[in-house]
Amino acid sequence: MASGYFEYLRDLLIERSGLVLTPDKSYLIETRLMPVALSMGYQNIEEMVQVLKSSRNETLVTAICEAMNTHESLFFRDQVPFDLFKTLILPQLLKRRADKRHFRIWCAACSTGQEPYSLAMVLKAATAKLKGWKTEIIATDISHSVLARARKGLFSQFEIQRGLPVQMLVKHFSHIGEHWQLNQDIRDMVDFRHYNLLTEPKLLGMFDMILCRNVLIYFNVETKTQVLSSIGSVLRDDGVLFLGSAESTMGLTDKLWPVEAGCGVYRHSHITSCIADALETKHFGA
Ligand SMILES: C[S@@+](CC[C@H](N)C(=O)[O-])C[C@H]1O[C@@H](n2cnc3c(N)ncnc32)[C@H](O)[C@@H]1O
């Protein structure tokens, strides 16, 4: 690889999206950026980077970040978070928020929408209990293209086969050509917005539950620490945070503690009681 352009792209990606590109992953530059270079009218990546170095074309920078990020997602990914939400966290929210009849969930780094839509389907099944309640699911991502796909709620047969129970497919999707589209009532339950995790989250408001899954793994320690601090600042005192199965707050912050090792749920460490209390009671008989 031409010297200079790996370093240039590595620095650009860290600065813009937090993505860490280690030399062993440099092959990704070739496979993911060659199509971008060609579609933008350049002969190769080197020429594209030369142009970028002389003037920062924002459209090109965005296209590079979007192509280099991994957008892999699936319905009910890892299953446990969604089971915990349905059986323990939602009942707690119904109790703890009974005065305002309102709670807010944030799916940070939502990719093509499978994660927030999985939550929406769980909430839909609880419609009777939620009568008179306002429930919000805000789903954000840095990538405009995945957000556009997510808003359409259109999924391929392959995506549908990954994690979606057949009863949910029958109940909530319509077959459109070779794709499956989520019905409008479920799509309307999710508010997709553009948001970069490296920026200030206060404008999004406060949340009772946050899912930030399978994105911290791509960041360095400094960025992970900064993002966890931002997330903690918009998580209600008794709220809960879900991280991905390969992610943790350990060594990054002592302000967010695991509720129970292994299940990916975290809480503010300074609070004695939280929405996930039932989880500890269930597992430890406390
Ligand atoms: C692997 S997907 C995870 C999707 C979903 N959370 C899940 O677990 O299935 C990671 C997503 O993080 C997004 N992402 C990467 N860097 C980001 C940043 N700085 N701010 C917001 N989203 C980011 C990517 O665009 C991508 O869609």
Side-chain angles (χ1 to χ4, degrees):
M1 185 177 299
S3 72
Y5 93 58
F6 172 78
E7 284 78 11
Y8 180 84
L9 289 169
R10 178 198 59 198
D11 295 348
L12 179 76
L13 289 163
I14 283 254
E15 177 200 320
R16 288 308 183 97
S17 70
L19 175 69
V20 173
L21 199 62
T22 47
D24 61 310
K25 292 275 166 57
S26 62
Y27 67 93
L28 287 177
I29 290 187
E30 301 296 329
T31 52
R32 295 188 180 179
L33 293 190
M34 196 57 186
V36 175
L38 296 178
S39 72
M40 295 277 182
Y42 302 105
Q43 303 265 333
N44 50 42
I45 301 172
E46 198 166 3
E47 187 186 324
M48 178 173 76
V49 171
Q50 280 310 325
V51 171
L52 261 187
K53 280 182 176 172
S54 54
S55 78
R56 275 232 178 156
N57 171 336
E58 280 306 315
T59 310
L60 191 49
V61 171
T62 302
I64 289 172
C65 290
E66 299 219 348
M68 289 306 296
N69 272 305
T70 299
H71 303 291
E72 164 96 0
S73 191
L74 50 151
F75 288 101
F76 297 93
R77 187 173 194 167
D78 302 330
Q79 195 59 51
V80 172
F82 302 94
D83 289 346
L84 292 178
F85 175 59
K86 180 178 160 187
T87 57
L88 296 170
I89 290 171
L90 183 56
Q92 281 289 308
L93 282 168
L94 288 168
K95 266 194 220 157
R96 287 183 178 244
R97 301 294 182 257
D99 52 344
K100 294 206 169 80
R101 297 188 146 229
H102 178 204
F103 60 83
R104 305 184 78 229
I105 299 171
W106 177 23
C107 282
C110 65
S111 190
T112 34
Q114 287 91 330
E115 189 175 71
Y117 284 141
S118 300
L119 292 173
M121 287 184 266
V122 173
L123 284 182
K124 191 73 185 176
T127 299
K129 288 185 196 136
L130 287 165
K131 200 156 180 259
W133 282 69
K134 180 177 178 193
T135 60
E136 290 180 74
I137 305 174
I138 313 290
T140 63
D141 201 281
I142 194 175
S143 163
H144 291 283
S145 59
V146 293
L147 287 169
R149 276 202 55 202
R151 285 189 188 102
K152 285 191 187 142
L154 212 51
F155 298 95
S156 67
Q157 184 69 37
F158 175 69
E159 289 168 321
I160 286 296
Q161 277 161 355
R162 300 179 79 201
L164 185 73
V166 71
Q167 315 87 283
M168 299 242 182
L169 174 65
V170 172
K171 202 182 226 172
H172 298 302
F173 287 77
S174 308
H175 208 177
I176 313 254
E178 296 193 341
H179 287 80
W180 293 88
Q181 186 165 40
L182 254 169
N183 295 337
Q184 192 71 48
D185 58 340
I186 301 290
R187 274 152 55 207
D188 286 347
M189 292 172 74
V190 183
D191 178 2
F192 288 100
R193 301 187 197 169
H194 181 258
Y195 169 72
N196 183 346
L197 281 165
L198 306 189
T199 63
E200 174 57 54
K202 287 265 157 51
L203 281 177
L204 295 171
M206 297 298 288
F207 294 94
D208 304 290
M209 177 170 123
I210 299 176
L211 292 88
C212 182
R213 303 171 66 227
N214 304 303
V215 63
L216 292 181
I217 37 168
Y218 300 105
F219 297 161
N220 63 21
V221 167
E222 195 189 346
T223 311
K224 285 181 203 190
T225 307
Q226 181 197 327
V227 170
L228 285 172
S229 162
S230 299
I231 285 177
S233 73
V234 292
L235 181 65
R236 284 199 190 288
D237 274 353
D238 64 346
V240 285
L241 163 69
F242 281 90
L243 297 180
S245 53
E247 297 160 334
S248 138
T249 61
M250 210 163 64
L252 301 169
T253 175
D254 54 8
K255 294 194 170 140
L256 293 162
W257 274 354
V259 168
E260 186 211 358
C263 71
V265 186
Y266 297 78
R267 54 182 289 177
H268 284 292
S269 47
H270 69 282
I271 294 297
T272 51
S273 170
C274 78
I275 287 167
D277 279 351
L279 222 163
E280 290 183 310
T281 310
K282 181 170 185 254
H283 286 278
F284 301 120

